[in-house]
Every structure is written in structure tokens, then in C-alpha cells.
Amino acid sequence: MSVLPLVFTSGWASGINAYAVVLLLGLLGATGVSDDVPGALQRPDVLIVAGVLFLCEAVADKIPYVDTVWDAVHTVVRPIAGAVVGALLAGQHGSLPELAAGAVGGSAALLSHLVKAGTRMAVNTSPEPASNIVLSLAEDLGVAALIVFAIFHPLAAAIIAGTLLAAGIAVVVFLWKRVRAFLRRRRERRRGLSPQPRPFP
């Protein structure tokens, strides 16, 4: 079977949490659970760096507004990670050109990253922090579950990832007013024109 479904799923997951994808794939390969993981992802130094960065993201991703800054920084990192993982997977299997696999993985990662960043902007318009924590935990668990599932059932996992991506795009479109409100507030803070509190009636 072509490695394309696994490449697409890992790309989608990289757009949400690239470090979790690298860490989880590396551990699945290093422990012998799967023979489909490239050796480059199983190296101890790669696992250590991915583990440390995953812990950093696990904290930053749950703090309102800090998560948006983190997402902005990773607008380049996540698509590159998705492309690299896709190319490595293609090189491991030899059933798909590495350049094509990199393009698929990077594109899927970019789209899912934009969905995640847009959703977080909308969530940050709410005053309470619990929604950020719940959403972040759901993303982390979803990425872990789908990556493990993809190792054993790549086609089914790719269908699920594609469905989640389409649903995410629809949610961002639906919440676009909140995203615009978030961007407007951020511009006002940068200009030092934070909105004045409304007077009591």
C-alpha cells in the first residue's frame, strides 16, 4: 500500500502539534511497535529534543494569548515538520517520491495549523481560560490517538484526518467574527488604545 495516507495523517497532526508527532513516531519505532518509522526519527537526540519541545508546547498551548503567540512562531515550523516527516516516511517505504510526500505533508500541516490558530483566536475572545485548556488537551489526545491508529490503519486514519480538517475549516469560517474581534483587540493593544470599560447604567 502507498505511504500517502500515513504521510497525509502525519502532516495533519504536525500542523497541530509537530513535536508530539515526531516524539510519538520515534517512540513507536524505537520500541519496535512499528517498522514503518524512519531511523532518523528514532535517534535518541531527536527524541530528547522533541520531548523537551513537546513539554514547552504543552504549557504554552494552554495559556490564553500565549498560545496565539506560540502559533504565530510555529507558522513556519509546523509545515516544515510535516514536510520533513512526510519525506522521511516516503524514503522509508519507497512507494512515493520524497518531494511529493514532502509537499503533501507540508500542505496538510499548513492547513491544519491555520485551522488551529484561527480556532484559538476565536476561543481567546472568551474571558475564561478553561476553554483553552480543554481544547489543547483534546488536540493533544486527538493527535496521539490518530498517529497510533495511522500506524496500523493508515487509510482509515487519513479519512478521519481529512474529515477533521474539513470540519475545522468550517468551524473557523463559522467563528470568523470572533477571529476578527480578536485581531481588532490585538491591534488596539499594540496602539495603546485598549477599549474603555463601559460605565454602569
Side-chain angles (χ1 to χ4, degrees):
M1 180 181 291
S2 171
V3 73
L4 183 60
L6 182 58
V7 168
F8 176 78
T9 303
S10 65
W12 170 86
S14 295
I16 297 173
N17 193 326
Y19 306 124
V21 173
V22 173
L23 179 62
L24 192 54
L25 284 176
L27 289 175
L28 289 171
T31 55
V33 174
S34 173
D35 297 327
D36 297 328
V37 180
L41 297 179
Q42 302 179 38
R43 290 170 39 185
D45 56 335
V46 172
L47 293 175
I48 291 171
V49 171
V52 171
L53 291 174
F54 170 73
L55 291 177
C56 292
E57 175 148 344
V59 175
D61 204 42
K62 294 172 179 60
I63 304 173
Y65 295 99
V66 174
D67 60 349
T68 299
V69 175
W70 185 267
D71 285 338
V73 172
H74 285 76
T75 300
V76 175
V77 175
R78 288 170 183 160
I80 290 177
V84 170
V85 170
L88 288 173
L89 289 170
Q92 174 83 355
H93 289 258
S95 59
L96 182 70
E98 293 180 28
L99 185 60
V104 171
S107 299
L110 177 60
L111 286 173
S112 62
H113 164 75
L114 293 176
V115 167
K116 173 178 179 171
T119 304
R120 287 309 182 85
M121 288 181 188
V123 169
N124 281 336
T125 60
S126 63
E128 42 73 36
S131 53
N132 294 74
I133 297 173
V134 171
L135 188 57
S136 178
L137 287 173
E139 289 170 350
D140 293 344
L141 292 174
V143 164
L146 201 56
I147 286 296
V148 173
F149 186 64
I151 290 294
F152 302 102
H153 306 283
L155 185 57
I159 293 173
I160 294 172
T163 302
L164 290 173
L165 181 59
I169 293 172
V171 167
V172 171
V173 171
F174 179 74
L175 296 175
W176 182 242
K177 285 186 178 180
R178 287 195 170 194
V179 174
R180 289 178 62 186
F182 174 87
L183 294 173
R184 185 174 62 252
R185 289 180 187 176
R186 188 169 66 176
R187 284 195 300 268
E188 289 172 348
R189 280 197 302 273
R190 285 180 178 176
R191 295 173 185 168
L193 299 175
S194 56
Q196 297 299 319
R198 295 181 179 178
F200 289 103

